[in-house]
Amino acid sequence: MEENNNQEDKAATGNQRSNPENPESFEGLKVTAPKTVAAGVPAVISSVKHILSEMDPLRGMKALLKVNQKSGFDCPGCAWPDPDDDRSRIAEYCENGAKAVAEEATTKALRSDFFALNSIEQLADFDDYRIGKKGRIAQPMYLPKNGTHYQPISWKDAFDLIARHLNELASPDEAAFYTSGRTSNEAAFLYQLFVREYGTNNLPDCSNMCHESSGVALNESLGIGKGSVTLEDFYEAEVIIILGQNPGTNHPRMLTALSKAKENGCTIISVNPLPETGLVAFSDPQTVKGVLGIKAKLSDIFLQVKINGDLALMKAISKLMLEEERKSPGTVFDHEFIKEHTTGYDALLSNIDKYQAEELSGACGISISQLQEVASVFCKKKKIIACWAMGLTQHKNAVDSIKEIVNVLLLKGSIGKPGAGTCPVRGHSNVQGDRTMGIYEKPSQKFLDSIEKNFGFRPPQHHGFDVVDSIKAMHEGKIKVFMAMGGNFLSATPDTAYTAAALRKCRLTVQISTKLNRSHLITGEEALILPTYGRSDRDLMNGEEQFISCENSMGVIQKSKGNLNPVSDQLKSESAIVCELALTVLGNRTRVNWQKYLQHYDNIRDDIERTIPGFDNYNQRVREPGGFYLPNSSRQGYFPTRTQKANFNVADITPIKLEEDELLMMTIRSHDQFNTTIYGLNDRYRGVLNERRVIFMNEKDIQKFGLKDRDVVDLYNFYNGRKRMAHKFIVIAYNIPEKCCATYFPETNVLVPLESVAEKSNTPTSKSVILKVQKSEVHPH
């Protein structure tokens, strides 16, 4: 890679100051003590404020009463499952779910007059928060070559432009088609069908950047890349261990499930470099106790692990359990399960014996006494659930770390039984469903054969590009057309300046979007924004209301039907956009009857049923209240791996070496955020208000580096000969292990090297970024 200067790409990162009128000022920052309880009345107040800031009370109430209801629409936020039976009729959503609905259902509409008044250069100068608050895209918009402003374009002309660009390419592999996790099952299926009939498997998606490591690890260990538990299992569990996850902010409704588990006697263990409020205590605002501010303690044990210390932690637990098993054979491990269902047991034990407990303690940062306490809990229990999120998946050794968790569960026989199993907690609400529908750059031969059998064309047989490889290919000129079905690709991806340069090298970039975001402002030579419905929008086709379907984190397929009038009559559904695009691009070449999909979504689901296993009687079962569960081999107790058994994994500890002046950084979300969508500038639980450009550091590191609390610093690193730099971050002393630090995503994505990825999954290592800090020339006022 070429040398990069020390200046940030301002258009790609924006003016990220809390005071845009005076970007040198830090006067808005306020730091308070972290909160000791999550949710409660403050969450209700926050929800109401966000709803009323975007729409009138009637529209807001109409939307909220249908969120996550069996007759309503799926929350556009996280993928946490809805209860099968005991759903609240009034509020089956959380604070951040209400924020997500407010963002999507806003009545602020951006039409041609807005874009005529605001150039892309002017808009790019805003931070992501202010860009997102502008409103919904209300009509198709086009940025011509060398243009400074978007201008209106008809749907027909937009489709013709895309068709011309795609059909002029020397190979279909010169185009890439990205997918966001918000895309419905129906739209995702059609999207991959169109892309494969066009002739490529270049289907990067947001999973490449989050739970790809989980899919790889679970597929190789257990034969299925999904979690095994249901929500009911939480209520039966004896132990729940939560690693690298902050449910209070990212999956708040999970706190209700944990609270119920706790009431049933479950021991909850939380593992994270930062103490997170949501895992300390929970005040349920839908109960009398919650309204009165009476909190329920959640975590029994908190393990403040070093960043990237999870593999060593789980190996230490296995080692201490093994010591107890050898003292009293048959009392700790489930030997019947191990013998009947697993392979690699002896090799695992040999690997564990290589390590001393003290060595593992030092590697993970957890004392021997705490490790013994946790191991004692595991030794005595059999119903164990392990939950994790991106705190585990975005490291170089992420796949092995997740497999080490699986090792512990297999030793205990804690997979395929009630109250036990794996639970990778997905982020976006249909990211798992999109993969089920075939959004994958490395499709199985079985899936490709099914496409050929059912649709009469031979899909490409070679693998395509994932997110990281797509960015590299754009930068090298190998990809000339980039299309995104939802999401905010630029802000979600690593190495912001490099990714921006890659996008600018494209001939055409196309964004199918609900709201304005930064990816609309960093474009190819030409660019299109195609406006689409949100989850809450009513979808009429041929005079009949349609519904879509989604898959949650636990494999439930359920319908989602919007109930609000769209902000514009120029919006199209994702499915309709794909069908009309396919007809325009492929013309007489197509073997697919795209017209029937434009008649009714039932026709899409009929073809999903005959193409993808597990969707028998799809249209009938998805109409049943609550939907249906997809088959899950791990849940059912069999493991279709290459060995036809669950595989123990052998992995060694490989500590990340830091120089004296280096820190290991992980990116995190604030409480006013979901993925790249910034709802506000407050991180209420961590006590940081009115500012996002901060770095959380251990007080000893602050002193060692000659800094003090509230100093302004620049962050930088070197990787493969290129310097990356992020300017003007405020130092905040925080409870985090020494040599570790944390910053908000996406502000520090600019520091995440594109080439630093997880082994096997190719996921960017956004949770283990080596960096240095230096005092900035700017000082707070």
Side-chain angles (χ1 to χ4, degrees):
M1 288 187 176
E2 72 277 9
E3 277 289 327
N4 192 38
N5 64 35
N6 297 344
Q7 300 301 313
E8 291 180 81
D9 184 334
K10 293 298 184 182
T13 59
N15 171 11
Q16 302 289 357
R17 297 261 52 85
S18 62
N19 184 353
E21 300 303 322
N22 184 4
E24 301 297 293
S25 172
F26 296 84
E27 292 178 347
L29 172 65
K30 182 180 179 181
V31 179
T32 65
K35 301 296 181 184
T36 58
V37 60
V41 173
V44 176
I45 295 172
S46 174
S47 300
V48 173
K49 284 182 177 178
H50 279 271
I51 287 290
L52 295 182
S53 70
E54 299 291 345
M55 67 198 78
D56 63 72
L58 183 61
R59 182 178 173 90
M61 184 60 66
K62 188 176 180 181
L64 292 179
L65 287 174
K66 284 296 184 180
V67 183
N68 295 324
Q69 298 297 331
K70 293 178 180 178
S71 61
F73 61 90
D74 200 38
C75 177
C78 81
W80 187 253
D82 307 311
D84 289 338
D85 298 312
D86 59 340
R87 298 190 194 186
S88 166
R89 295 183 179 180
I90 299 175
E92 191 52 61
Y93 56 87
C94 64
E95 175 189 355
N96 276 1
K99 292 175 184 175
V101 172
E103 287 280 313
E104 179 187 272
T106 182
T107 51
K108 301 171 186 174
L110 305 183
R111 295 180 169 84
S112 58
D113 57 343
F114 170 84
F115 290 100
L117 289 172
N118 294 276
S119 70
I120 57 171
E121 182 179 359
Q122 290 171 319
L123 291 171
D125 193 49
F126 289 112
D127 61 14
D128 286 351
Y129 166 60
R130 288 171 178 82
I131 291 173
K133 286 297 180 184
K134 295 300 180 185
R136 288 284 296 270
I137 307 294
Q139 65 187 101
M141 301 302 299
Y142 168 61
L143 183 69
K145 187 173 182 178
N146 299 320
T148 59
H149 293 68
Y150 275 100
Q151 57 193 44
I153 187 172
S154 70
W155 278 103
K156 181 182 184 303
D157 287 347
F159 290 139
D160 286 343
L161 178 68
I162 298 170
R164 177 173 62 81
H165 274 279
L166 289 177
N167 289 327
E168 286 177 353
L169 297 178
S171 163
D173 287 331
E174 291 184 345
F177 300 85
Y178 176 74
T179 310
S180 157
R182 191 189 66 84
T183 306
S184 69
N185 285 341
E186 291 77 7
F189 180 78
L190 295 182
Y191 193 46
Q192 64 81 29
L193 189 64
F194 158 62
V195 170
R196 291 193 164 102
E197 189 174 23
Y198 171 67
T200 185
N201 281 316
N202 288 345
L203 282 159
D205 75 316
C206 59
S207 183
N208 296 150
M209 296 180 284
C210 57
H211 272 286
E212 197 69 56
S213 298
S214 298
V216 172
L218 293 175
N219 260 312
E220 293 184 357
S221 294
L222 304 176
I224 183 171
K226 302 178 181 183
S228 67
V229 300
T230 68
L231 204 51
E232 292 297 318
D233 288 320
F234 273 69
Y235 311 147
E236 294 186 46
E238 296 174 318
V239 180
I240 299 175
I241 183 168
I242 304 162
L243 305 100
Q245 185 194 359
N246 177 17
T249 288
N250 301 328
H251 311 90
R253 287 194 302 150
M254 182 179 176
L255 301 182
T256 302
L258 293 175
S259 182
K260 289 183 180 179
K262 185 74 175 174
E263 291 173 2
N264 293 338
C266 181
T267 298
I268 296 177
I269 303 167
S270 57
V271 181
N272 206 51
L274 294 174
E276 300 290 11
T277 301
L279 288 171
V280 175
F282 171 56
S283 182
D284 188 346
Q286 296 194 46
T287 66
V288 174
K289 287 183 177 180
V291 172
L292 294 175
I294 301 172
K295 62 185 180 182
K297 179 184 176 184
L298 290 182
S299 291
D300 296 281
I301 303 172
F302 170 52
L303 302 178
Q304 192 167 18
V305 70
K306 293 178 181 178
I307 293 176
N308 195 236
D310 306 277
L311 194 156
L313 169 66
M314 298 310 295
K315 194 177 289 291
I317 292 172
S318 294
K319 181 166 187 67
L320 295 175
M321 287 198 303
L322 177 58
E323 290 177 359
E324 293 303 312
E325 170 65 23
R326 284 170 171 164
K327 292 176 185 176
S328 304
T331 62
V332 177
F333 293 169
D334 188 337
H335 288 281
E336 182 179 348
F337 177 89
I338 291 170
K339 182 178 180 181
E340 183 177 351
H341 294 292
T342 74
T343 184
Y345 175 69
D346 291 336
L348 174 67
L349 265 54
S350 296
N351 177 262
I352 293 173
D353 285 336
K354 286 171 47 178
Y355 293 92
Q356 299 298 316
E358 292 76 13
E359 177 186 4
L360 297 170
S361 171
C364 67
I366 305 300
S367 67
I368 290 290
S369 60
Q370 264 204 305
L371 290 173
Q372 290 171 336
E373 180 186 11
V374 173
S376 177
V377 172
F378 275 76
C379 285
K380 297 172 184 175
K381 307 295 183 181
K382 294 183 179 180
K383 294 182 176 181
I384 303 168
I385 292 177
C387 307
W388 67 90
M390 288 187 289
L392 257 73
T393 65
Q394 295 180 327
H395 299 276
K396 185 176 181 181
N397 62 353
V399 171
D400 280 335
S401 294
I402 294 165
K403 288 182 176 181
E404 204 71 32
I405 296 171
V406 175
N407 285 347
V408 172
L409 296 177
L410 293 177
L411 289 172
K412 297 295 298 182
S414 292
I415 297 180
K417 65 172 61 171
T422 56
C423 184
V425 184
R426 308 282 177 172
H428 221 151
S429 57
N430 199 44
V431 61
Q432 185 162 299
D434 290 346
R435 183 57 57 88
T436 301
M437 291 297 105
I439 300 293
Y440 190 33
E441 76 280 358
K442 300 173 185 174
S444 68
Q445 191 60 50
K446 184 177 180 180
F447 181 83
L448 294 177
D449 290 346
S450 183
I451 292 288
E452 183 173 8
K453 175 184 176 183
N454 289 305
F455 296 98
F457 70 87
R458 184 167 176 79
Q461 303 295 297
H462 56 281
H463 290 169
F465 293 138
D466 62 9
V467 164
V468 168
D469 289 337
S470 291
I471 295 170
K472 291 178 180 178
M474 283 188 281
H475 206 280
E476 295 166 4
K478 295 178 181 178
I479 286 179
K480 298 176 175 63
V481 175
F482 176 81
M483 182 172 180
M485 178 67 78
N488 182 358
F489 185 80
L490 176 68
S491 294
T493 47
D495 222 339
T496 310
Y498 186 87
T499 300
L503 287 165
R504 290 183 178 118
K505 291 185 178 182
C506 292
R507 295 175 184 171
L508 175 69
T509 50
V510 182
Q511 305 286 339
I512 300 173
S513 305
T514 55
K515 297 194 67 183
L516 188 68
N517 65 55
R518 189 166 299 280
S519 293
H520 302 141
L521 311 176
I522 304 298
T523 71
E525 292 178 356
E526 296 178 89
L528 286 167
I529 310 174
L530 304 181
T532 190
Y533 293 142
R535 290 274 175 81
S536 56
D537 288 328
R538 181 180 285 112
D539 185 352
L540 282 174
M541 182 173 284
N542 300 318
E544 184 175 349
E545 287 194 3
Q546 304 291 316
F547 67 85
I548 58 171
S549 60
C550 302
E551 178 182 348
N552 64 34
S553 264
M554 295 180 183
V556 176
I557 303 292
Q558 57 190 1
K559 70 177 183 179
S560 176
K561 187 175 182 180
N563 69 325
L564 301 181
N565 291 326
V567 296
S568 168
D569 61 3
Q570 293 195 53
L571 310 186
K572 289 181 182 287
S573 73
E574 293 172 321
S575 295
I577 291 171
V578 174
C579 289
E580 293 184 43
L581 180 60
L583 287 166
T584 308
V585 172
L586 300 175
N588 294 330
R589 307 196 307 270
T590 187
R591 305 290 295 273
V592 177
N593 186 354
W594 299 100
Q595 290 289 355
K596 74 174 181 179
Y597 303 140
L598 287 168
Q599 295 170 6
H600 202 287
Y601 293 173
D602 278 358
N603 296 327
I604 308 173
R605 288 184 283 270
D606 283 341
D607 280 353
I608 293 173
E609 177 182 336
R610 65 193 184 104
T611 305
I612 301 174
F615 286 85
D616 302 337
N617 301 315
Y618 193 178
N619 274 309
Q620 176 185 337
R621 290 196 293 160
V622 77
R623 284 175 164 84
E624 296 173 2
F628 62 93
Y629 282 89
L630 288 176
N632 187 297
S633 52
S634 290
R635 187 180 299 155
Q636 294 158 355
Y638 69 94
F639 307 101
T641 65
R642 292 181 178 179
T643 64
Q644 296 301 305
K645 289 189 174 186
N647 298 312
F648 283 107
N649 183 64
V650 173
D652 287 318
I653 308 299
T654 53
I656 297 174
K657 296 180 180 179
L658 298 174
E659 300 297 331
E660 280 298 310
D661 60 345
E662 290 179 334
L663 296 173
L664 191 62
M665 180 193 80
M666 65 178 189
T667 59
I668 58 176
R669 299 176 189 166
S670 80
H671 192 62
D672 262 356
Q673 175 179 3
F674 180 74
N675 291 344
T676 59
T677 303
I678 313 300
Y679 302 132
L681 298 175
N682 296 333
D683 194 354
R684 190 172 79 244
Y685 291 166
R686 297 190 185 104
V688 178
L689 309 179
N690 303 320
E691 184 59 71
R692 290 183 52 82
R693 215 163 174 91
V694 300
I695 177 171
F696 298 97
M697 293 176 61
N698 183 285
E699 195 161 0
K700 291 182 179 179
D701 290 324
I702 294 174
Q703 295 173 359
K704 186 175 76 173
F705 292 168
L707 303 171
K708 61 181 183 297
D709 195 43
R710 306 296 192 278
D711 268 353
V712 182
V713 296
D714 297 332
L715 316 179
Y716 67 99
N717 58 19
F718 295 90
Y719 194 94
N720 279 4
R722 187 156 64 96
K723 186 175 184 178
R724 296 165 176 83
M725 200 156 194
H727 296 276
K728 301 174 188 175
F729 281 72
I730 307 170
V731 172
I732 294 180
Y734 208 78
N735 184 3
I736 188 170
E738 287 184 63
K739 299 290 284 183
C740 298
C741 65
T743 58
Y744 294 130
F745 152 100
E747 283 81 354
T748 50
N749 283 1
V750 68
L751 297 172
V752 182
L754 186 71
E755 314 95 311
S756 179
V757 295
E759 295 170 346
K760 293 189 176 182
S761 70
N762 213 32
T763 297
T765 58
S766 300
K767 293 293 188 291
S768 52
V769 179
I770 297 174
L771 62 74
K772 298 182 180 184
V773 301
Q774 65 183 27
K775 281 189 178 182
S776 174
E777 295 179 1
V778 176
H779 300 283
H781 292 192

